[in-house]
Amino acid sequence: MAKLYIFGIGGTGSRVIKSLTMLLASGVKTNFDIVPILIDPDSAGGDLNKTIKLLRDYQTIHKSINGYKDNRFFKNKISTLSSIIAEQSKGAKIFDGFRFELDGIQNDRFKDFIDFNTLDSNNKNLAKLLFSEHNLEADLSVGFKGNPNIGSLVLNQFTKSEIFQSFADSYQPEDRIFIISSIFGGTGAAGFPLLLKNIRKGEVTGKHYEHLKNARIGAITVQPYFKVEQNDNSQIDSHGFITKTKAALHYYSKNITGNNSINALYYIGDTANNTYENIEGGTHQKNDAHFIELASALSIIDYANTEDTHLETNNGIALNPKYKEFGTKDSSQLSFNDLFDGSKNVLEFNLTTYFYFNLFLKEKLKNELDHPYAREFSNKIDTNFLYQTFYKTLTDFNKENRIWLTELSRNQISFLPFSITPVTNEQNEIIDFSIGTNSIFTLVRDIPERKNKLNPFAKNNYELFISHLNTAASALGDAPDTSKRFMGIFSESTKTLVNKKLL
């Protein structure tokens, strides 16, 4: 299978890949093996590590059910670069994970990274001219804090690394590349043009890669979509976001779009009415999921579905570059009906079926094991499917999915396709959602439930759900193992249920 290498640069890159993972879990599928490569100096970042955990859980679930045709969830393969290298060369893994570890920045200041103290007086004066005292004293372990001039120097080591060499070695002509970055910070604004430039050179550590030079490359550049609280002790100031965006776009107009070095470039941003706490990286930097990140994930799906003939490159020049923007109908609280057809077609059915799958497992499964569909899932406790690794991993993933949906609903702008209420802890962090309705089929906002007018006493609510589960279990028959059968039953029943009652 062809591979789609996705470089997620900085915090925005991690959060967009998180939304993409949620889409793939729900049944959205591409014809590519997705290979995320996260580039973020903030190794302790809360958003980064949540994304890595989510990707690993996805892999565990996919591996257990891969190849089973009657399941539609978790269908798309997600691989690490190390596993790709191991498969192709039968050699040792270069690094076992999704995040590239930048060398020389742990507990280091920028002045230490450039060996400032070893410079002669003339070069010290030059460094002081190019970089402020704040720049020189900056702690690199929490990122570049809106300073692309620092980021471009530090991130340049990535293109000289063994990881980048391994990426170049593994890249095949039928593969593609996609780059996610923000334009108003430090890491993404520096990393995107640097990475693109080095790929287009087709030269990596002395080796020539003509097919890499002519790679099909897409990218999304995320403009400001949030602000941070004013903090005089922080180097991050959202008052400068727009100015930095304008400067970056001016640079891009000459060095990215102006020289046709990108095949498809997506633009997105928002009025940035929501304000986050001003935290300079680390474990406490955990922003609520935002619809901009979900829409950015849709750009990856759109790019993956674009025909090869529309993404041709010759001698490192994109022959017919595409430039796209994202829009919705005018609403501060989006439902599926506020999306235009392309986005609605991807999201509505997939997110809705997965929502009901997740909801039943959360609310009902363990109390409804005496029905035919659950016969093989509820045997002796020591071999019970519900206590095994697969189901525990699925439970973890589903909880993160519920938190993600709920965070999207309370952010600005709000994406609230389902009528759910946040459940929060003492720190106002979302830990789950709750529902407050008698009928689960009224939970999809702005889409009325189809009722059986001929038979007002027909089964409804969870009783109808269980009936469809039993029907699916009977129709599917045997499966290679319990995990596949479990996912097949819920995949088929939610598909039928949603088509019958809602869409």
Side-chain angles (χ1 to χ4, degrees), residues 24-179:
L24 299 181
S26 72
V28 178
K29 194 174 183 299
T30 74
N31 291 322
F32 293 89
D33 179 358
I34 302 296
V35 187
I37 302 173
L38 301 173
I39 305 173
D40 194 337
D42 185 10
S43 60
D47 290 327
L48 170 68
N49 288 300
K50 286 177 72 173
T51 297
I52 291 173
K53 169 68 161 60
L54 196 75
L55 287 166
R56 287 173 177 163
D57 286 349
Y58 182 103
Q59 284 187 309
T60 298
I61 297 165
H62 170 83
K63 184 177 180 180
S64 295
I65 58 178
N66 186 33
Y68 185 50
K69 64 180 181 61
D70 291 316
N71 165 67
R72 55 178 305 276
F73 299 133
F74 298 91
K75 292 285 282 188
N76 208 113
K77 187 177 182 181
I78 296 179
S79 298
T80 60
L81 178 58
S82 55
S83 66
I84 296 295
I85 296 297
E87 287 175 9
Q88 291 182 350
S89 65
K90 308 301 181 183
K93 291 184 177 181
I94 49 172
F95 81 122
D96 190 14
F98 291 100
R99 175 181 173 266
F100 169 68
E101 189 95 25
L102 291 166
D103 293 330
I105 66 169
Q106 289 73 29
N107 303 314
D108 269 359
R109 296 171 297 174
F110 179 62
K111 67 190 304 181
D112 300 322
F113 181 83
I114 63 173
D115 294 325
F116 179 83
N117 290 332
T118 67
L119 300 177
D120 60 34
S121 59
N122 287 334
N123 282 319
K124 280 184 178 178
N125 289 331
L126 177 61
K128 288 179 180 179
L129 181 65
L130 295 174
F131 302 101
S132 69
E133 188 65 25
H134 275 305
N135 287 164
L136 292 170
E137 295 294 335
D139 178 4
L140 298 182
S141 65
V142 293
F144 308 132
K145 294 178 283 191
N147 296 293
N149 55 332
I150 295 176
S152 59
L153 280 179
V154 177
L155 289 172
N156 195 49
Q157 68 167 277
F158 175 68
T159 60
K160 297 178 174 64
S161 68
E162 183 184 1
I163 302 298
F164 194 69
Q165 176 72 67
S166 298
F167 152 71
D169 287 338
S170 68
Y171 188 86
Q172 300 296 319
E174 67 272 16
D175 296 338
R176 294 188 190 181
I177 298 164
F178 196 89
I179 304 169

Side-chain angles (χ1 to χ4, degrees), residues 174-298:
E174 67 272 16
D175 296 338
R176 294 188 190 181
I177 298 164
F178 196 89
I179 304 169
I180 309 163
S181 66
S182 68
I183 202 171
F184 55 96
T187 308
F192 168 39
L194 184 68
L195 181 59
L196 179 62
K197 179 181 177 181
N198 278 276
I199 292 172
R200 286 299 186 212
K201 281 181 180 177
E203 300 281 343
V204 182
T205 59
K207 295 176 66 175
H208 181 68
Y209 298 88
E210 186 67 25
H211 63 287
L212 184 60
K213 178 180 180 179
N214 289 320
R216 295 179 174 90
I217 307 176
I220 185 161
T221 182
V222 182
Q223 299 170 66
Y225 65 101
F226 62 84
K227 299 175 183 176
V228 295
E229 296 172 350
Q230 186 63 34
N231 183 345
D232 293 338
N233 296 319
S234 172
Q235 294 185 46
I236 302 175
D237 184 354
S238 51
H239 289 102
F241 283 179
I242 297 299
T243 302
K244 290 177 180 179
T245 298
K246 289 180 178 179
L249 286 171
H250 180 71
Y251 177 84
Y252 289 5
S253 69
K254 292 183 178 180
N255 298 283
I256 293 178
T257 58
N259 62 10
N260 287 4
S261 60
I262 193 87
N263 296 97
L265 183 58
Y266 297 79
Y267 294 95
I268 197 167
D270 192 31
T271 53
N273 290 324
N274 55 315
T275 301
Y276 294 153
E277 188 178 356
N278 193 331
I279 298 175
E280 294 185 350
T283 57
H284 297 293
Q285 191 179 59
K286 300 176 184 177
N287 298 338
D288 277 0
H290 195 288
F291 179 73
I292 288 292
E293 296 151 11
L294 172 57
S296 298
L298 288 174

